Amino acid sequence: MADDFLSLYLRHAPTMEVPRAFHFWSALSLLAASVADRVWIEKLKAPLPPNLYVILLGPSAVGKGKAIDVALKFATPRHNLYAGSTTAPALVDYMAAGTTRPNGTRVLENSRVWLVMSELALNIGSGEVADDFVKFLTDFSGPSSAPRRKGTRTHGQRELHGHCLNWLAGTTPEWFRRALGMDVIEGGFMPRNVVVRGGYAKSRIYEPEYPPDYPALVERLRAIIERLMEACGEFTFAPDAKETDRAWYLSRDIPPGREPWAYREHDLILKLAMLLSLSDGVDLVIRQAHVVGAQRLLKQVNRDLSDLVSLASTSPRTQAVHAALDYVKSFGRVPHSKLLQMLSNRGLANADTMKREVRPTLLQTRQVVVETTRRGGVVYVWARRRRLTASSELTEEEAPDEAE
């Protein structure tokens, strides 16, 4: 049984109605925050640390906060955890706090921060405040060779240097669509993020199920984190790993219109390869398996890229269709009454608009088909699942009610 950090973390994470991907990427964020910028790889004659911006994206009550809470129980004072609501000026003040030595050198106490926000709609809101926060995150996503100066109303100009910011956040598609429009999606902010999508569980779990060796797993993970926090130095490539990375870089396809993401993909590959290496140990060597693993993770990240762009550009008239597609995809099969109830609860459609607009558009996408049960009821079926289960009997009880 694998005993690397990520495998141990996923074994320790309770089995509950939370997307497994949320646990995995929360673990990667924890790992990145544990090393901050004390480890790096050289790129273009400058250090590239493995810090990450991770957004867990899913409907309300899907388990974003639960996955984040599982990771947070491993936080120590050295992680410099900043959890909850803030604004860009408040974060500038926090990161600029420090003392001045007798020789005039300014020592910052909070230059390395693990910023965690379980619900962006509550933690940063929307409008101008959210826009300023996004600009701050964009500006501070990577290391800087020179100090940064930022102004705040309370303290005027503040100087930041040696910063390293890791960000783990959760939000809903509705907030994502409202607060992050196409100018943000296609600009510099989103290509710096890993957006992980998740939907409602297909089966219900009454109580979280913990592994029998849970206490021992927690202690092992804490011990690994302690070792990670002592790691320091520059990563090197094993020869075959370097060649694998080079081959990917020279042969990758860059689709038209995806250049902002494509030209930052290599940075993400390197960061993920470093983190996968750290999961195995602290020898600071990137091996071929780490590069291949990072490339696979990148494919998963890019898999939902078209959906994210579509989500951000959605008009109010088509929000119901996108919500319906996500819902049917999550459960595979959804009775008409359940889908209508979900859309009605969100204020997106009623029986009339469901019949005139939503249903015809769903069928036009060819991602959803309609089937009839033995009792004459209508069931919406995700097309891919239908091909896999064409011989199975449809019932009226195949999707639970949406969590409030």
Side-chain angles (χ1 to χ4, degrees):
M1 191 174 293
D3 59 357
D4 61 284
F5 175 81
L6 291 171
S7 296
L8 291 173
Y9 187 96
L10 291 178
R11 276 166 52 194
H12 114 282
T15 300
M16 53 184 178
E17 297 171 4
V18 174
R20 208 66 175 164
F22 286 0
H23 284 305
F24 179 82
W25 285 97
S26 295
L28 276 178
S29 181
L30 168 63
L31 205 165
S34 298
V35 295
D37 59 354
R38 292 184 294 273
V39 300
W40 68 90
I41 193 166
E42 186 179 274
K43 183 179 182 182
L44 302 178
K45 300 299 182 181
L48 177 70
N51 67 308
L52 290 179
Y53 285 4
V54 177
I55 301 176
L56 308 180
L57 183 68
S60 178
V62 76
K64 303 179 290 291
K66 292 178 181 177
I68 290 173
D69 286 343
V70 170
L72 289 188
K73 73 172 180 286
F74 292 102
T76 71
R78 293 183 63 185
H79 285 98
N80 200 12
L81 173 65
Y82 190 121
S85 301
T86 189
T87 63
L91 200 54
V92 168
D93 284 338
Y94 179 76
M95 294 177 68
T99 58
T100 302
R101 292 175 176 173
N103 63 2
T105 303
R106 181 72 174 168
V107 179
L108 302 186
E109 300 171 355
N110 304 313
S111 58
R112 299 182 178 103
V113 179
W114 188 20
L115 181 62
V116 178
M117 299 175 163
S118 59
E119 181 46 69
L120 291 181
L122 301 176
N123 297 141
I124 66 171
S126 58
E128 185 178 350
V129 173
D131 186 58
D132 288 345
F133 185 79
V134 164
K135 290 175 181 176
F136 173 86
L137 289 179
T138 303
D139 193 22
F140 283 82
S141 62
S144 174
S145 58
R148 305 278 183 88
R149 299 190 68 84
K150 289 286 183 179
T152 68
R153 292 181 180 178
T154 305
H155 296 101
Q157 289 292 321
R158 306 303 301 268
E159 184 175 286
L160 300 176
H161 59 83
H163 62 269
C164 181
L165 189 60
N166 280 281
W167 186 44
L168 175 60
T171 194
T172 63
E174 287 78 14
W175 184 92
F176 189 92
R177 181 188 301 113
R178 183 174 66 251
L180 301 181
M182 285 304 296
D183 56 334
V184 174
I185 295 294
E186 295 180 339
F189 177 64
M190 285 310 301
R192 291 172 165 84
N193 288 265
V194 173
V195 180
V196 185
R197 299 199 71 181
Y200 292 118
K202 295 181 175 64
S203 58
R204 296 181 180 179
I205 300 173
Y206 178 63
E207 291 182 339
E209 300 172 3
Y210 293 87
D213 57 344
Y214 177 80
L217 288 172
V218 170
E219 290 306 310
R220 291 182 66 183
L221 288 168
R222 292 192 188 282
I224 293 174
I225 290 171
E226 286 298 318
R227 291 198 297 272
L228 288 170
M229 300 190 83
E230 298 302 323
C232 183
E234 181 181 348
F235 271 91
T236 60
F237 269 108
D240 56 351
K242 184 71 171 179
E243 184 54 37
T244 299
D245 183 59
R246 179 178 179 275
W248 169 85
Y249 186 87
L250 295 177
S251 63
R252 66 194 177 120
D253 180 47
I254 302 179
R258 295 294 181 266
E259 291 84 359
W261 286 272
Y263 288 113
R264 290 187 173 90
E265 283 180 343
H266 191 228
D267 282 2
L268 181 57
I269 285 281
L270 294 177
K271 292 183 178 192
L272 293 174
M274 284 188 277
L275 293 174
L276 293 178
S277 174
L278 289 167
S279 178
D280 285 340
V282 291
D283 62 358
L284 304 187
V285 176
I286 296 175
R287 295 177 172 81
Q288 186 179 46
H290 304 141
V291 175
V292 173
Q295 292 170 359
R296 289 173 179 167
L297 289 175
L298 180 67
K299 286 184 180 180
Q300 295 174 16
V301 170
N302 285 340
R303 194 170 297 159
D304 289 330
L305 181 57
S306 296
D307 288 344
L308 292 175
V309 174
S310 177
L311 184 65
S313 60
T314 299
S315 67
R317 291 186 58 189
T318 57
Q319 288 184 22
V321 175
H322 281 273
L325 284 171
D326 284 344
Y327 199 67
V328 176
K329 183 178 180 180
S330 293
F331 292 113
R333 299 174 182 173
V334 180
H336 174 83
S337 60
K338 300 286 187 181
L339 188 60
L340 178 58
Q341 180 184 23
M342 182 276 292
L343 294 174
S344 177
N345 287 344
R346 296 187 184 181
L348 297 176
N350 54 32
D352 181 54
T353 54
M354 179 73 179
K355 179 180 179 180
R356 290 188 296 103
E357 300 177 7
V358 179
R359 177 170 170 168
T361 307
L362 282 177
L363 299 180
Q364 289 172 10
T365 67
R366 298 188 178 182
Q367 297 181 71
V368 171
V369 295
V370 172
E371 295 192 357
T372 305
T373 68
R374 290 183 176 181
R375 298 179 182 179
V378 171
V379 177
Y380 299 91
V381 184
W382 191 249
R384 184 177 178 183
R385 174 165 178 165
R386 180 176 181 268
R387 290 195 294 270
L388 295 175
T389 60
S391 61
S392 63
E393 181 178 329
L394 295 172
T395 72
E396 294 281 3
E397 302 297 332
E398 302 218 288
D401 292 329
E402 186 191 30
E404 293 297 331

